[in-house]
Amino acid sequence: MENPWKFIKLSDYESHMALGTVMQLQVLNRIMKKQLDIYPVQSAMVLGVAGGNGLEHLKIENYTKVYGIDINADYLQEVEKRYQNLFPVLECICLDVALEGAKLPTAELLIANLFIEYIGYACFQKTVTHIKPTYISCTIQMNADGTFVSDSPYLQVFDDLDSIHQTIETEVLIQSMQEIGYQQIALMEYVLPNGKKLVKVDFVNRFFIRSAEKTNT
């Protein structure tokens, strides 16, 4: 079975996420602004970039390369239309991270918002080890009612995601990152109108911390 994200229209996805009862598009936009601004890096990668929500906050003078990764080629075509001013700093790459993660380039900052749910802990660990970021900033969704897709007129569009969706728990994610050498450095929760929460967790490579400590001694 092919990945369902290949067949979900971007207009349906963004319309659902922007509904007043959902508000995830708006909240994720604010999160992305923080993610792109906070760390002293020159390269970044956004896994599951979709239509590029939040990329308008990218200050290209601060970056030499930003990769937008997605499995849906139509999404990436829209990113290229919307953000022509960001090229050539912004580079879009179409691939299935679950199957082709080893092909990804390296980047100092890895952003993964509402993405880990579709590849799982182990695959995310492998992906991180290929990308070798200094910093990771990821957002996961906590579901108060046990459902991961909020009720909306677009609900049926997402039916097939059940086949690949996995529940991600904050503590388990933190533990899985510790196993591959990443230490949690930040955690912030965003409460949504329907009672769900987005949880942003940031990590830093422990080797980077030790190297910085040696440099300062």
Side-chain angles (χ1 to χ4, degrees):
M1 178 180 176
E2 289 212 66
N3 192 300
W5 279 112
K6 290 184 176 181
F7 308 104
I8 295 174
K9 293 181 180 179
L10 182 62
S11 58
D12 288 341
Y13 171 66
E14 292 186 333
S15 296
H16 166 80
M17 295 287 278
L19 287 170
T21 53
V22 179
M23 291 290 288
Q24 291 193 22
L25 198 75
Q26 297 88 330
V27 174
L28 287 169
N29 188 282
R30 298 199 301 270
I31 290 174
M32 179 77 84
K33 184 179 189 304
K34 293 181 179 180
Q35 290 170 320
L36 291 171
D37 286 347
I38 193 170
Y39 295 114
V41 298
Q42 293 184 314
S43 62
M45 181 180 296
V46 183
L47 298 179
V49 71
N53 179 36
L55 286 179
E56 68 269 22
H57 303 299
L58 176 63
K59 299 172 183 175
I60 57 174
E61 65 271 18
N62 294 341
Y63 284 90
T64 57
K65 182 62 68 175
V66 175
Y67 300 100
I69 312 299
D70 209 281
I71 195 172
N72 190 312
D74 291 338
Y75 292 2
L76 297 179
Q77 287 181 7
E78 187 61 29
V79 171
E80 292 174 353
K81 290 178 184 177
R82 291 176 177 179
Y83 301 102
Q84 296 179 34
N85 61 306
L86 299 182
F87 291 90
V89 170
L90 178 61
E91 179 180 340
C92 292
I93 301 175
C94 186
L95 58 73
D96 185 340
V97 172
L99 301 177
E100 305 171 284
K103 297 180 181 179
L104 291 169
T106 59
E108 295 170 275
L109 168 64
L110 177 62
I111 297 172
N113 296 331
L114 303 188
F115 181 83
I116 305 171
E117 288 90 340
Y118 300 105
I119 63 171
Y121 302 110
C123 185
F124 189 59
Q125 285 178 316
K126 290 180 182 178
T127 303
V128 169
T129 59
H130 287 303
I131 299 168
K132 299 179 176 65
T134 301
Y135 300 97
I136 302 170
S137 185
C138 50
T139 305
I140 59 176
Q141 179 177 301
M142 298 289 101
N143 308 310
D145 58 0
T147 60
F148 70 98
V149 178
S150 301
D151 189 27
S152 86
Y154 303 93
L155 190 60
Q156 291 185 340
V157 170
F158 305 100
D159 283 349
D160 289 340
L161 292 181
D162 282 329
S163 64
I164 60 171
H165 178 266
Q166 303 178 46
T167 298
I168 301 298
E169 300 291 344
T170 305
E171 292 305 319
V172 181
L173 176 61
I174 292 171
Q175 177 60 39
S176 70
M177 291 296 97
Q178 288 176 343
E179 291 172 0
I180 58 171
Y182 286 83
Q183 176 180 319
Q184 178 202 339
I185 53 173
L187 189 149
M188 184 171 292
E189 296 184 349
Y190 302 80
V191 180
L192 303 172
N194 54 14
K196 297 178 185 291
K197 288 192 300 186
L198 297 184
V199 181
K200 183 178 77 69
V201 193
D202 291 8
F203 304 89
V204 65
N205 188 311
R206 286 202 295 266
F207 177 78
F208 175 78
I209 295 176
R210 290 195 297 269
S211 297
E213 289 174 346
K214 290 179 181 179
T215 302
N216 294 328
T217 55

